[in-house]
Amino acid sequence: QVQLVESGGGLVQAGGSLRLSCAASGRTYSRHIMGWFRQAPGKEREFVAAISWSGGNTLYADSLKGRFTVSRSNAKNAVYLQMNSLKPEDTAVYYCTAGSGAFISVYSNDYDYWGQGTQVTVST
């Protein structure tokens, strides 16, 4: 079992930056792939980024490459999402997720555990 708690969301102006954190608990956290998804009002949940258990492999939504960076610290049981050059269309609830599969994935069904989400609002 892995429990996930996100933090770091908030209100930011367009062009600004935020760093989301996800604190994980559970004995096998370091062996899980980790991901970030987001869901905007009236839209389906979408993939943002993922990172392998070692941190050596990462994957991003094509539209977010170059602006978002995912990282993790197994020593701190944490995963992070650095978001730069934020746009109003980045406004959403951001969810941290963990999966026990061997490979990072863009599909939400490949993840087993989800946090409660943190709101990110980007103003114009």
Side-chain angles (χ1 to χ4, degrees), residues 36-38 46-50 59-61 64 68 81 83 94:
W36 289 94
F37 285 73
R38 68 184 184 183
E46 65 174 353
F47 172 75
V48 174
L59 189 62
Y60 296 93
L64 301 177
F68 287 18
L81 184 68
M83 306 185 294
Y94 284 72

Side-chain angles (χ1 to χ4, degrees), residues 37-46 91-95 119:
F37 285 73
R38 68 184 184 183
Q39 187 166 18
K43 295 186 177 181
E44 293 186 353
R45 190 171 297 188
E46 65 174 353
T91 295
V93 177
Y94 284 72
Y95 297 91
Q119 176 71 47

Side-chain angles (χ1 to χ4, degrees), residues 38-93:
R38 68 184 184 183
Q39 187 166 18
K43 295 186 177 181
E44 293 186 353
R45 190 171 297 188
E46 65 174 353
F47 172 75
V48 174
I51 187 166
S52 63
W53 68 266
S54 69
N57 292 309
T58 56
L59 189 62
Y60 296 93
D62 288 342
S63 62
L64 301 177
K65 287 179 181 178
R67 295 196 299 123
F68 287 18
T69 303
V70 62
S71 61
R72 70 188 292 167
S73 168
N74 289 341
K76 296 182 178 180
N77 281 2
V79 64
Y80 310 98
L81 184 68
Q82 177 67 42
M83 306 185 294
N84 299 327
S85 302
L86 284 163
K87 304 174 181 181
E89 50 264 43
D90 294 319
T91 295
V93 177

